[in-house]
Amino acid sequence: EKLINRRGPQWWDSAIRKGSRVSVLVFGDKVAGYANYGRNRARSLHFEGEIYELYLRPEFQGLGFGRRLFTAAKRDLVQSGLKSMVIWALSDNDHATEFYRALGGRMVARSSEKFGPKSLDKVAFAWAS
């Protein structure tokens, strides 16, 4: 919820203008989650597409919605000619890493990112069609 609420109209407008695509999952009158994706940003990884963020509100997790969002984003990337894809997850986020493994992703890279004084380790999962 926080992540969805923090993303104001300007963030969405900017993301879309920069060529990012967005899939939004609406359930009833609520935004249940979203994925935004486009060209791979990491030049060191030889994959064409990337899902930048895939987020689902906690109350909608475990119902197959995440898989649906992932599939929609992947299909859209492939239809845009981006036939291989990568997605990053925090390495200590077991829920996310298990989810991507279950979807057939293979771990292809590790990295860490600094957020102020904190350093967060992340892993990349990839799919090639």
Side-chain angles (χ1 to χ4, degrees), residues 43-104:
R43 287 185 175 80
S44 59
L45 293 178
H46 302 291
F47 299 96
E48 297 169 314
E50 178 182 357
I51 294 181
Y52 309 134
E53 288 180 357
L54 191 148
Y55 177 77
L56 210 54
R57 286 185 198 268
E59 66 265 35
F60 292 102
Q61 290 173 7
L63 303 170
F65 290 141
R67 181 179 286 267
R68 212 173 258 197
L69 262 177
F70 173 86
T71 304
K74 187 170 186 271
R75 186 174 49 235
D76 196 11
L77 285 169
V78 168
Q79 286 170 352
S80 307
L82 305 175
K83 304 222 181 296
S84 59
M85 182 186 87
V86 68
I87 189 166
W88 289 89
L90 293 175
S91 54
D92 64 357
N93 183 342
D94 296 337
H95 187 72
T97 56
E98 287 310 309
F99 176 70
Y100 297 130
R101 274 200 187 93
L103 289 167

Side-chain angles (χ1 to χ4, degrees), residues 1-8 12 31 34 53 55-59:
E1 176 137 354
K2 283 192 195 115
L3 195 55
I4 288 175
N5 292 343
R6 243 192 347 233
R7 303 286 192 225
W12 290 103
V31 172
Y34 68 89
E53 288 180 357
Y55 177 77
L56 210 54
R57 286 185 198 268
E59 66 265 35

Side-chain angles (χ1 to χ4, degrees), residues 3-39:
L3 195 55
I4 288 175
N5 292 343
R6 243 192 347 233
R7 303 286 192 225
Q10 286 168 314
W11 183 88
W12 290 103
D13 184 54
S14 166
I16 292 164
R17 271 189 291 107
K18 287 179 188 156
S20 179
R21 291 167 172 256
V22 179
S23 288
V24 177
L25 182 72
V26 177
F27 189 82
D29 60 352
K30 233 181 172 182
V31 172
Y34 68 89
N36 77 311
Y37 49 94
R39 292 194 171 280

